[in-house]
Amino acid sequence: MKSCEYQQIDPRALTVSAHKAPGTVTHPHRRKWQIFPGKNRFFCDGRLMLSRQSGVLPLTLGLVVVTCGLFFAFDCPFLVQHLTLFIPVIGGVLFVFVMLSLLRTSFTDPGILPRAGPDEAADIERQIDSSGSSSYRPPPRTKEILINQQVVKLKYCFTCKMFRPPRTSHCSLCDNCVERFDHHCPWVGNCVGKRNYRFFYSFIISLSFLTSFIFGCVITHLTLRCHTGKSLIQAIQESPASVVELVICFFSVWSILGLSGFHTYLVASNLTTNEDIKGSWSSKRGAEDSGNPYTHNSIMRNCCATLCGPMPPSLIDRRGFVPSDEVVTAADCPSEMELPSFTAKSDTHMCTQSTKDVLEKMLRSSDLAVCPVGAPETSPLGLEVPAIRSPVVCQAPCSGCGRSRKDSLHSINPAFRLAAPSPTVPRTNPPLSQSQAEGFVPMP
């Protein structure tokens, strides 16, 4: 037979390590913030983080910067000339404090808890299953612990696959469990929790002082202009920017002052916004002992514990490297995988025809012995076999063929000599009469 050209893959190129799956690529220098599962954005190589839905944060920055810019440009020169030099100094200190507190609140980890790994999640599931009863009801997804002689329930988070610690809640916008969760603030573009609550409180307090200070200075500016013998309309025409500042401060100072007062009450009581809204420790829930188990029974102690305590470390390790045994799929990798090299070889027993072409040629050839067989008359127990009429190659000479399977196959393609059955191994089909003894039942 004429030799055919074929391409063969080097078997050594297909060897895969026991620790690597086919179609995967390792990234030894990939950091954890790059594969973080929450809905957050990271900057400066993971040093800064922000919520993915932070569209209101530029508005907050714009309002503060524009209002203060107009104040320093149009009001401060007149007030320095007629009053004192300390007005722009006080305004500048408050502005810097507000901006620093806002940026620290927005770009600080609020206290995100890392999600449970596969082994830890499986262990928690086993504990839940073992604690459940044998009835039809599913096992409980809560735990009860004692804090200051008061029962506190821990809920199971189906997203993070763990029981939430006390005062922890899952933020639906950031998709993270946040320790001592207070609320998600769109104005700062981040959750407010254990690690950034002190910055948020200092932001709203300083912002309330800054807004009130600018509001009072603008009114003083317009009043002094009116005392020089000018009407209010003329004073506004001489300083139109003061009207813009007056409107912004008037509509924002009330909400900012109210928010500052509310959070001052929460700090003094050692509560969170989430607990206050839900009424977790309110007597309205009907509990016998509904007091706050986290209070220190002193306003000063509560304030110090909330605002002046040590800064807890971040638990998500944003800038840590991903272990080398973790892999990502090739679809996540922008680079394309290289295919193994091919080498051309020739062999008298191999051919480039596909299996489909070979089988079609076998069926069309007159040298191949094919016997038409109908639907099978027997079927294994419990297994339905569809009635398919297909040509079956004879295993032995029959009355309709007269030629053996081996001769017919070898006459069409010498390549089948490699796969021919060994003559020492008998291959016979059991007669139909023995079907019931072999575990078969007749088909209806």
Side-chain angles (χ1 to χ4, degrees):
M1 179 180 177
K2 184 179 179 180
S3 62
C4 300
E5 295 292 334
Y6 74 99
Q7 291 180 336
Q8 183 178 5
I9 299 176
D10 188 4
R12 292 173 296 180
L14 298 178
T15 57
V16 181
S17 175
H19 301 283
K20 298 180 181 180
T24 59
V25 181
T26 59
H27 294 269
H29 301 292
R30 197 177 180 90
R31 293 190 183 270
K32 292 183 179 180
W33 67 266
Q34 295 176 301
I35 59 172
F36 188 71
K39 298 178 181 179
N40 297 89
R41 292 184 296 174
F42 297 85
F43 307 93
C44 299
D45 198 17
R47 292 178 177 87
L48 306 177
M49 65 179 302
L50 193 67
S51 174
R52 191 173 299 176
Q53 298 181 359
S54 57
V56 189
L57 177 60
L59 177 61
T60 306
L61 291 171
L63 288 175
V64 174
V65 172
V66 169
T67 304
C68 292
L70 294 177
F71 172 71
F72 290 125
F74 295 95
D75 296 290
C76 285
F78 182 86
L79 295 175
V80 168
Q81 183 180 359
H82 291 80
L83 293 179
T84 176
L85 182 63
F86 289 100
I87 292 179
V89 174
I90 297 174
V93 171
L94 290 175
F95 171 74
V96 172
F97 200 79
V98 167
M99 294 301 297
L100 290 178
S101 301
L102 175 59
L103 296 178
R104 288 295 299 271
T105 306
S106 302
F107 295 105
T108 302
D109 172 22
I112 298 175
L113 295 178
R115 300 187 181 185
D119 297 336
E120 185 180 358
D123 183 66
I124 294 177
E125 290 291 339
R126 285 193 295 266
Q127 294 178 8
I128 294 175
D129 294 338
S130 61
S131 63
S133 59
S134 58
S135 61
Y136 67 92
R137 293 184 178 181
R141 294 281 174 172
T142 59
K143 284 185 178 181
E144 292 184 352
I145 61 174
L146 283 177
I147 298 179
N148 293 332
Q149 304 302 321
Q150 188 168 342
V151 178
V152 177
K153 288 186 178 182
L154 306 182
K155 296 182 180 180
Y156 181 81
C157 181
F158 290 91
T159 303
C160 301
K161 305 296 182 183
M162 65 176 181
F163 283 97
R164 302 169 189 162
R167 314 187 83 176
T168 300
S169 183
H170 190 90
C171 178
S172 59
L173 297 178
C174 296
D175 199 21
N176 296 311
C177 276
V178 180
E179 198 172 5
R180 201 186 182 277
F181 177 77
D182 191 87
H183 69 288
H184 181 92
C185 183
W187 295 97
V188 301
N190 199 359
C191 287
V192 179
K194 184 177 182 179
R195 298 189 72 249
N196 65 345
Y197 182 80
R198 63 189 68 188
F199 306 124
F200 174 78
Y201 182 74
S202 63
F203 165 67
I204 58 176
I205 292 296
S206 59
L207 183 61
S208 62
F209 278 107
L210 177 63
T211 307
S212 303
F213 180 76
I214 294 178
F215 185 73
C217 289
V218 170
I219 293 179
T220 304
H221 178 200
L222 296 178
T223 303
L224 291 177
R225 286 186 179 274
C226 292
H227 284 173
T228 58
K230 299 178 182 179
S231 63
L232 181 61
I233 302 299
Q234 293 176 346
I236 292 176
Q237 291 176 352
E238 292 179 359
S239 179
S242 300
V243 180
V244 178
E245 302 168 39
L246 197 64
V247 171
I248 295 176
C249 293
F250 179 79
F251 285 102
S252 59
V253 67
W254 311 113
S255 59
I256 295 174
L257 288 176
L259 187 63
S260 301
F262 173 70
H263 278 276
T264 301
Y265 156 74
L266 294 180
V267 170
S269 305
N270 200 351
L271 289 172
T272 63
T273 304
N274 187 44
E275 294 170 348
D276 186 76
I277 292 177
K278 292 182 178 180
S280 302
W281 318 117
S282 174
S283 58
K284 297 179 181 180
R285 298 177 67 92
E288 296 180 359
D289 188 9
S290 58
N292 182 12
Y294 308 107
T295 182
H296 297 277
N297 298 321
S298 173
I299 295 178
M300 292 300 299
R301 290 181 181 179
N302 290 335
C303 294
C304 292
T306 305
L307 304 176
C308 304
M311 183 70 170
S314 178
L315 302 178
I316 56 177
D317 190 19
R318 307 185 296 270
R319 302 192 69 248
F321 289 101
V322 180
S324 57
D325 55 347
E326 295 185 13
V327 295
V328 294
T329 58
D332 298 335
C333 183
S335 60
E336 297 181 357
M337 297 181 60
E338 296 183 357
L339 296 176
S341 59
F342 295 93
T343 57
K345 297 183 180 180
S346 60
D347 197 333
T348 56
H349 300 290
M350 304 298 293
C351 186
T352 57
Q353 287 181 304
S354 63
T355 306
K356 180 179 178 180
D357 298 335
V358 173
L359 294 177
E360 291 180 355
K361 188 174 181 180
M362 289 168 54
L363 295 177
R364 291 195 300 266
S365 177
S366 59
D367 296 336
L368 180 62
V370 178
C371 296
V373 181
E377 298 182 358
T378 60
S379 143
L381 288 174
L383 180 64
E384 297 182 1
V385 179
I388 302 176
R389 295 183 177 272
S390 60
V392 178
V393 180
C394 292
Q395 299 289 343
C398 60
S399 58
C401 301
R403 298 186 65 180
S404 65
R405 174 180 177 270
K406 180 178 180 180
D407 296 339
S408 61
L409 289 178
H410 291 175
S411 63
I412 190 66
N413 196 342
F416 285 97
R417 292 178 186 145
L418 300 176
S422 175
T424 60
V425 181
R427 301 180 65 180
T428 59
N429 294 330
L432 296 178
S433 60
Q434 300 179 1
S435 61
Q436 296 183 359
E438 296 294 336
F440 290 80
V441 296
M443 294 289 290

